[in-house]
Amino acid sequence: MDDSYKWGVVLIACMAIFIIVLDSSAMNVAISTLVVELNTTVSIIQGIIAIYALIIASFMLLGSKIQDILGRKKTFLMGLIIYACGTITATLSINAGMLLLGWAILEGVGAAMILPATTTIVGSSYKGKDRVTAFGIWGGIAAVGAAVGPIVGGIFTTYLSWRLVFGSELVFVAGILIFRHYLTESEPTLKWKDLDIVGVFLSVISLILIVLGILFLTRPEYWRYVAVLVGSGSILFILFLWWQRRRINNGLEPLSDITLLKNRLFGLGTLNNVIQQIPLAGFLFIIPVFLQQVTKLNAFDTGLTLLPASMVILICSLLGAKLSSRIDSKYVLMIGFLIAAIGTFILSGVFNVNTHMQDLIPGTVVFGVGIGFLLSQLTNLTMAAAGKDQETDASGLLNCFKNLGYSMGTALIGVLLLLSVFGGLTAGIESTGLVDNTTKDEIHDGLFNYMEKMQTGTPQIPPQLVPYAPRIIDSTISSAMRQTFTVLSLILFLGFFTSLFIPSRKNPT
């Protein structure tokens, strides 16, 4: 590789990953505008956002395997063209159906081809310290894209048009196409007839059911379907794993080389990727919700609050790459998990009705330092376990589980927050000294309905709540956020514990 263009490949990969993660975080702040302009409902727009995540996760293994049939560069560019078609369709949308086709389906399929291809392209283009740095930048940009999305979405939605969120992505697509000569092609090793059709069917259907069940956790009215969806999806995924082993034993090409999961480094690396994604997703979900619903900040100021953390994540993803040249990567991971856990612990005590954006910055910055260290190591460490002929399978499995972890993080934190609100309401009501169960239940139901209606802008406090509402709401918010961030801390400590078992450099298998 020519030294003058040393970072050309990672630049292209970063532009691709940036626009993929930007969509959801940017458009989350434009939901109310989309409802009005497309003459639809909030639930339909939220459903489209969910389907986008669903499509990406479900088609990831297939998107990765296509690299073996077409070559990684051709797969990447084909995914980019499909993504661009989706972006144009979404930009020109005149109704929810058109937005669904463009954003959720076409962009989702394109992203499922792009994401694993960027992993193998970066992994094959750099060696040694450069490889660690490249993956650190790649991971850092992904987190930055998610964190600055509210700023981008807020500016475009408030001052221009939400359509420019999608339209601006075409600039990045054009830039990637202009600099595509930096990418190196791989020789196809399979033909279309070698593709495991049964494996494709089992993987797509099982992942759709699992992710859909996870997403339904955020909607209490659908909780009765969660166990059925996740259970049936898990059974089908187990059947998928059995089918893959059967094909491997019979000398046939599997959709994914699941023997990688037996590799200690790859298995633990993938597990730690999932563990890291859960608190990151929860953090990026819960902070904007709090700032916009409780403190009434607009999307732009919400994004500004997250900006220091996103910048620290990017900086520390580079510092972590340099640090790993001095100490073993597993210790960088352990440090990252501990620092991120400290950040969530700090944040657990700062939330109440009088919290200002500057109050959150210390905790978010500490959290960002830890996440930056994690992102600097996790992808490179996990992919290092794969042989050259396993790179496409490894990238598919890794990105599939990472997307599952991110979806799981958003859903679980949403559920935890909901349950914590119920608990906080109960504690707040009891603190008023009202001991009559009937009165207490009335206040409980009335106040919870009030907090739900805060999102519509038309809340009405029942008369009997007026004397108690401020104190109960403050107690509820503080309690719910403290419990939620305490759980995030525990998840990060779990990551610290599992990273203890990652093999050292001297014993990579």
Side-chain angles (χ1 to χ4, degrees):
M1 186 186 299
D2 191 331
D3 286 344
S4 61
Y5 302 112
K6 181 177 180 179
W7 302 110
V9 172
V10 77
L11 175 64
I12 291 175
C14 285
M15 286 194 289
I17 192 74
F18 182 79
I19 59 176
I20 290 172
V21 300
L22 181 72
D23 268 356
S24 294
S25 60
M27 296 309 294
N28 271 330
V29 302
I31 290 176
S32 58
T33 304
L34 288 168
V35 169
V36 174
E37 293 196 14
L38 299 181
N39 191 29
T40 184
T41 65
V42 171
S43 61
I44 288 177
I45 297 300
Q46 290 175 332
I48 292 172
I49 295 174
I51 291 171
Y52 176 61
L54 184 73
I55 294 290
I56 292 177
S58 303
F59 286 85
M60 192 73 71
L61 295 179
L62 175 60
S64 178
K65 199 63 178 179
I66 290 175
Q67 293 179 79
D68 289 334
I69 299 173
L70 300 179
R72 56 176 173 253
K73 179 178 179 179
K74 191 174 291 183
T75 301
F76 176 85
L77 294 176
M78 181 177 290
L80 186 70
I81 296 302
I82 295 173
Y83 189 92
C85 291
T87 298
I88 294 170
T89 304
T91 303
L92 302 176
S93 294
I94 59 175
N95 53 46
M98 195 170 174
L99 185 67
L100 172 67
L101 173 64
W103 182 10
I105 297 176
L106 291 177
E107 282 197 13
V109 170
M113 297 174 69
I114 292 170
L115 278 171
T118 60
T119 309
T120 53
I121 286 171
V122 171
S124 64
S125 299
Y126 300 97
K127 304 297 179 186
K129 295 179 182 179
D130 287 345
R131 192 173 190 260
V132 178
T133 301
F135 273 127
I137 297 171
W138 180 80
I141 289 294
V144 168
V148 303
I151 295 182
V152 176
I155 291 174
F156 283 147
T157 303
T158 304
Y159 302 109
L160 298 167
S161 170
W162 60 267
R163 298 178 187 276
L164 290 177
V165 174
F166 295 109
S168 62
E169 293 178 354
L170 294 173
V171 176
F172 290 89
V173 172
I176 293 171
L177 292 175
I178 290 171
F179 297 108
R180 67 185 184 279
H181 59 277
Y182 291 156
L183 302 176
T184 57
E185 184 59 282
S186 62
E187 289 295 325
T189 58
L190 299 176
K191 299 184 181 299
W192 283 108
K193 64 182 178 62
D194 299 319
L195 185 63
D196 177 12
I197 302 299
V198 175
V200 170
F201 174 81
L202 289 173
S203 68
V204 170
I205 299 302
S206 64
L207 290 170
I208 284 177
L209 292 174
I210 292 171
V211 176
L212 191 60
I214 291 171
L215 294 173
F216 273 7
L217 282 171
T218 61
R219 307 290 295 274
E221 65 269 28
Y222 296 142
W223 281 359
R224 63 184 179 275
Y225 302 121
V226 170
V228 174
L229 290 169
V230 174
S232 57
S234 299
I235 291 171
L236 284 177
F237 193 75
I238 292 171
L239 185 59
F240 164 74
L241 295 176
W242 171 82
W243 178 257
Q244 297 307 288
R245 179 179 296 178
R246 183 174 182 270
R247 285 184 67 88
I248 292 171
N249 292 339
N250 291 336
L252 300 173
E253 185 65 31
L255 178 66
S256 185
D257 185 359
I258 62 170
T259 60
L260 277 164
L261 297 174
K262 295 181 179 180
N263 182 292
R264 182 178 165 195
L265 179 58
F266 184 85
L268 286 172
T270 301
L271 175 61
N272 277 296
N273 269 283
V274 173
I275 292 173
Q276 173 264 326
Q277 288 286 348
I278 291 174
L280 177 60
F283 171 86
L284 294 173
F285 167 79
I286 201 171
I287 297 290
V289 167
F290 173 83
L291 291 174
Q292 294 184 48
Q293 300 301 331
V294 178
T295 68
K296 301 302 180 184
L297 287 186
N298 59 29
F300 179 74
D301 288 336
T302 298
L304 281 181
T305 307
L306 291 172
L307 187 60
S310 65
M311 293 299 100
V312 166
I313 287 173
L314 182 58
I315 292 169
C316 288
S317 66
L318 297 176
L319 291 177
K322 292 186 177 297
L323 185 60
S324 66
S325 65
R326 298 178 178 273
I327 63 175
D328 198 301
S329 294
K330 69 178 289 183
Y331 298 119
V332 179
L333 287 182
M334 293 166 65
I335 292 170
F337 277 120
L338 281 178
I339 294 176
I342 292 171
T344 55
F345 179 77
I346 293 172
L347 285 168
S348 68
V350 301
F351 293 96
N352 56 65
V353 292
N354 298 313
T355 297
H356 298 289
M357 54 190 293
Q358 61 267 25
D359 298 327
L360 303 181
I361 291 177
T364 60
V365 167
V366 174
F367 178 79
V369 171
I371 292 296
F373 283 155
L374 293 174
L375 292 173
S376 73
Q377 306 299 316
L378 277 170
T379 301
N380 178 64
L381 184 145
T382 307
M383 290 295 294
K388 194 168 183 62
D389 59 338
Q390 296 176 306
E391 286 181 342
T392 57
D393 292 320
S395 66
L397 287 168
L398 175 60
N399 283 287
C400 178
F401 281 108
K402 283 177 69 174
N403 274 273
L404 284 174
Y406 198 88
S407 298
M408 193 184 306
T410 303
L412 291 180
I413 295 306
V415 172
L416 180 63
L417 185 61
L418 182 64
L419 296 177
S420 298
V421 165
F422 274 112
L425 281 173
T426 301
I429 292 168
E430 290 176 350
S431 71
T432 65
L434 296 173
V435 295
D436 181 81
N437 289 331
T438 302
T439 304
K440 194 159 56 175
D441 289 342
E442 288 176 359
I443 292 179
H444 187 289
D445 295 340
L447 191 55
F448 189 75
N449 288 334
Y450 165 74
M451 294 182 72
E452 282 189 321
K453 289 180 180 178
M454 285 174 67
Q455 300 184 30
T456 68
T458 59
Q460 276 190 324
I461 303 180
Q464 73 269 31
L465 299 184
V466 173
Y468 311 104
R471 185 170 65 179
I472 296 175
I473 290 174
D474 185 56
S475 172
T476 299
I477 291 170
S478 299
S479 175
M481 298 297 278
R482 182 168 56 252
Q483 292 180 45
T484 301
F485 275 91
T486 298
V487 171
L488 291 182
S489 297
L490 293 175
I491 292 171
L492 288 163
F493 276 118
L494 174 63
F496 171 81
F497 177 74
T498 57
S499 63
L500 289 171
F501 300 96
I502 291 175
S504 65
R505 290 172 182 159
K506 296 179 181 179
N507 184 26
T509 58

